[in-house]
Amino acid sequence: MEGHLALRLGTRAMRRFLGIFKDERGATAVEYGLILAMIFLAMVGALSLVADITISMWGNVSAAVIDA
């Protein structure tokens, strides 16, 4: 009897698990999440470039002040 119950519970769990892949309600949320992640990565990359340019600029200003 216990084996039969475990089999039914296992079958039910497998159906729920496979049902996740058929459900498309969360697909839009996942797509929006991926879009936001790509925007975030682009912002981090741009900020990194601006930081490098700014550090170089202030290095030149520092060198000019020291030489003056």
Side-chain angles (χ1 to χ4, degrees), residues 50-63:
V50 169
D52 290 342
I53 292 169
T54 304
I55 289 170
S56 175
M57 179 190 69
W58 286 112
N60 293 339
V61 169
S62 174

Side-chain angles (χ1 to χ4, degrees), residues 6-10 16-18 20 25 27-28 32 34 37-38 40 42 45 47 49 53 60 63 66:
L7 181 62
R8 277 194 333 188
L9 290 176
R16 282 189 180 179
F17 178 72
L18 293 175
I20 291 171
R25 289 182 293 182
T28 304
Y32 283 133
L34 290 172
M38 290 186 338
F40 175 76
L47 185 61
L49 285 173
I53 292 169
N60 293 339
I66 289 173

Side-chain angles (χ1 to χ4, degrees), residues 3-40:
H4 182 65
L5 179 62
L7 181 62
R8 277 194 333 188
L9 290 176
T11 303
R12 187 180 301 159
M14 184 59 87
R15 278 193 207 136
R16 282 189 180 179
F17 178 72
L18 293 175
I20 291 171
F21 295 109
K22 293 179 185 177
D23 188 10
E24 294 184 6
R25 289 182 293 182
T28 304
V30 171
E31 290 167 356
Y32 283 133
L34 290 172
I35 290 169
L36 286 173
M38 290 186 338
I39 290 170
F40 175 76

